[in-house]
Amino acid sequence: VSEICGADSGRSLGRAPRRPVTRLVLVRHAQTAWNLEGRAQGHTDVGLDETGLAQAEALAPYVAAMAPTALWSSDLTRAQQTATVLASATGLDVRSDRRLREFDAGERAGLTTAEFADTFPEAYASWREGHITGHVPGAETVADVVARMVPALREIWESTPAGETTVVVAHGACLKVSLLAFLGWPDPLLGTLRGLDNCGWSGLEDDAHGLGIRLASYNETAHPAVHGPDFASDAPVG
């Protein structure tokens, strides 16, 4: 019995030993005052508030425990500040890529949900029905964001050595649509993914049998979730 159940039992039973798993961890930035107020941020460069800084500090030991070997971030301040806290915990340098930015929110930028509804009622109605931007004037389309985000994520994935972990800090809406495209899931499934909380993370990993990339976890957090004022319609672009 000891020979069958010992350390070499996998080989004894004809199973190949598990190979190291390569991982990509996608993190939404910590909270800003505009997140709390329900204002769409898009490319507006808003920094973290006190709660956001605390969220990033709470997240840091979890990320450090993942032993990442690379840390990437959007170039917007809220992502950079979140990534800087993670860098201090991991000893890594932050690598920036502007392709990891949030949707450009167009003329919705800076508006609360109520202001959005009053100013652009048709776009607001479309947003309530599930469209990420509601086709508000000047906003990037899903295709625009996927066209820049997915190549960036693929390059980061392909640069991650086998068996190692890379962390990417970006934004809620762009991560949601690019995750779907990165995994090759059909577009109608977008509505089945809720938005990421601030400092929520999702894990991607290569399949142990070499069958591709799979979603290992979604919207894990190291702090109590703080939802915006209109969570039923998902978080504003930010």
Side-chain angles (χ1 to χ4, degrees), residues 31-39 41 46-50:
Q31 179 180 287
T32 71
W34 279 24
N35 285 145
L36 191 61
E37 295 166 6
R39 295 186 185 278
Q41 295 176 115
V46 183
L48 303 182
D49 61 13
E50 289 186 6

Side-chain angles (χ1 to χ4, degrees), residues 61-87:
Y62 287 80
V63 171
M66 299 175 194
T69 56
L71 174 61
W72 287 85
S73 175
S74 155
D75 65 334
L76 294 175
T77 298
R78 56 194 183 271
Q80 287 282 313
Q81 288 180 317
T82 305
T84 297
V85 174
L86 304 184

Side-chain angles (χ1 to χ4, degrees), residues 23-211:
R23 293 185 174 89
L24 186 62
V25 179
L26 306 176
V27 181
R28 185 187 178 197
H29 64 81
Q31 179 180 287
T32 71
W34 279 24
N35 285 145
L36 191 61
E37 295 166 6
R39 295 186 185 278
Q41 295 176 115
H43 288 184
T44 308
D45 214 7
V46 183
L48 303 182
D49 61 13
E50 289 186 6
T51 296
L53 290 170
Q55 289 173 344
E57 292 288 353
L59 172 63
Y62 287 80
V63 171
M66 299 175 194
T69 56
L71 174 61
W72 287 85
S73 175
S74 155
D75 65 334
L76 294 175
T77 298
R78 56 194 183 271
Q80 287 282 313
Q81 288 180 317
T82 305
T84 297
V85 174
L86 304 184
S88 295
T90 59
L92 298 171
D93 293 327
V94 180
R95 306 179 190 180
S96 299
D97 192 329
R98 67 178 288 113
R99 292 177 296 174
L100 300 172
R101 284 185 169 204
E102 181 58 288
F103 275 79
D104 185 335
E107 295 182 28
R108 185 186 171 189
L111 301 181
T112 64
T113 303
E115 291 167 344
F116 178 38
D118 289 341
T119 308
F120 300 103
E122 291 183 3
Y124 173 77
S126 178
W127 177 70
R128 289 289 297 185
E129 291 171 359
H131 190 278
I132 281 188
T133 68
H135 305 284
V136 71
E140 281 186 292
T141 66
V142 171
D144 291 335
V145 174
V146 166
R148 60 175 167 83
M149 279 284 293
V150 172
L153 293 178
R154 291 201 185 282
E155 290 171 23
I156 292 169
W157 173 266
E158 290 166 3
S159 69
T160 303
E164 296 186 3
T165 297
T166 294
V167 174
V168 175
V169 182
H171 309 265
C174 70
L175 283 174
K176 184 176 177 180
V177 300
S178 60
L179 174 63
L180 199 78
F182 186 76
L183 290 170
W185 293 1
D187 292 344
L189 288 182
L190 182 63
T192 67
L193 285 178
R194 53 155 291 178
L196 291 170
D197 292 313
N198 289 114
C199 275
W201 74 88
S202 299
L204 300 172
E205 62 182 33
D206 59 344
D207 182 79
H209 305 290
L211 300 178

